[in-house]
Amino acid sequence: LYFHSGEREEKCIIEDVPSDTLVIGNYKVQRWDIHKQDFLESAPGLGMFVTVTTPSAEILLSKLYGPQGTFSFTSYLPGEHIICLQSNSTRLVAFAGSKLRIHLDIRVGEHFLDESAVQAKDKVNEVNLRLEHIIEQIHHVSKEQNYEREREEKFRKTSEETNSNILWWAIVQTLILISVGIWQIKSLRDFFISKKLV
């Protein structure tokens, strides 16, 4: 994907990641050229601050990269990780009016095969490498399923607690209404008796 950003503007993306999962991000920055009325292929002199925050608000990664680069991190907590990108432009905010286009590719839990290494090996080693790659993918899918199972269980517990609270609230409301009705009947009866209308 790509998105547009101001020169001093910070843009964040939320990525829901299970624990112990490798996340790899590739990005490229292009700067708007006023004369050509188009984005330049690269943005020389510009770099990107990449900050990754865990669900518990700890900073997992905070580093300055060039106009294009690759960052990676391994999650140790399951949940929503916030990945923020901001240019290192030194212009003052009032003069930093240039638009940037940031191309971003995020891969979660993938381990890519080195095709050159595969081609250099004989057929047995190639099958072995591909088998290891498939086993890693199976482990990743298993982690994803466990993470989704934990989230579903947490959601189910929350739903059950909410339903239980609603039931008790309905019972309390009914008791309050009954007691107010009884009190009103008793008050009216006492009023009529004191006025000798009954």
Side-chain angles (χ1 to χ4, degrees):
L1 64 97
Y2 73 84
F3 53 88
H4 293 150
S5 170
E7 237 179 276
R8 303 283 302 236
E9 190 179 359
E10 181 179 53
K11 292 283 187 169
C12 296
I13 294 172
I14 297 174
E15 193 69 40
D16 201 0
V17 182
S19 62
D20 298 324
T21 302
L22 177 66
V23 178
I24 301 170
N26 293 317
Y27 72 89
K28 180 173 93 170
V29 181
Q30 295 176 309
R31 183 181 286 179
W32 178 256
D33 187 2
I34 297 173
H35 304 296
K36 293 182 180 179
Q37 292 294 310
D38 196 12
F39 287 97
L40 299 173
E41 253 328 288
S42 66
L46 266 187
M48 293 300 282
F49 284 110
V50 178
T51 307
V52 178
T53 309
T54 65
S56 62
E58 294 177 49
I59 295 179
L60 191 61
L61 173 71
S62 180
K63 192 172 177 184
L64 174 64
Y65 294 90
Q68 92 181 51
T70 301
F71 61 90
S72 64
F73 64 92
T74 302
S75 63
Y76 64 91
L77 285 175
E80 294 180 342
H81 288 67
I82 301 171
I83 302 169
C84 295
L85 301 163
Q86 182 180 19
S87 73
N88 68 339
S89 174
T90 56
R91 293 185 185 184
L92 294 174
V93 175
F95 300 107
S98 183
K99 270 196 306 187
L100 300 176
R101 178 183 284 173
I102 302 169
H103 297 265
L104 183 62
D105 176 27
I106 295 180
R107 296 184 305 271
V108 177
E110 292 190 16
H111 301 280
F112 292 97
L113 288 174
D114 184 5
E115 291 297 329
S116 61
V118 171
Q119 291 173 358
K121 306 287 183 186
D122 60 3
K123 291 292 181 187
V124 173
N125 287 339
E126 179 182 345
V127 170
N128 191 20
L129 283 173
R130 291 197 185 273
L131 185 62
E132 288 176 4
H133 180 69
I134 290 172
I135 290 171
E136 284 180 6
Q137 287 179 333
I138 289 171
H139 286 304
H140 174 68
V141 168
S142 175
K143 273 193 239 177
E144 283 278 343
Q145 286 177 336
N146 288 336
Y147 176 60
E148 292 301 325
R149 197 174 294 120
E150 289 170 9
R151 286 184 62 191
E152 188 273 333
E153 185 178 329
K154 184 178 176 185
F155 179 74
R156 186 173 36 81
K157 283 181 182 176
T158 304
S159 296
E160 288 172 358
E161 288 173 6
T162 303
N163 286 339
S164 174
N165 290 341
I166 288 172
L167 174 68
W168 284 111
W169 177 244
I171 291 171
V172 167
Q173 278 183 325
T174 305
L175 291 175
I176 290 172
L177 286 174
I178 290 171
S179 61
V180 167
I182 292 171
W183 177 78
Q184 283 182 337
I185 290 172
K186 186 179 178 317
S187 296
L188 279 173
R189 188 173 157 242
D190 291 344
F191 173 75
F192 288 141
I193 289 174
S194 68
K195 295 293 182 182
K196 297 182 183 178
L197 297 173
V198 177

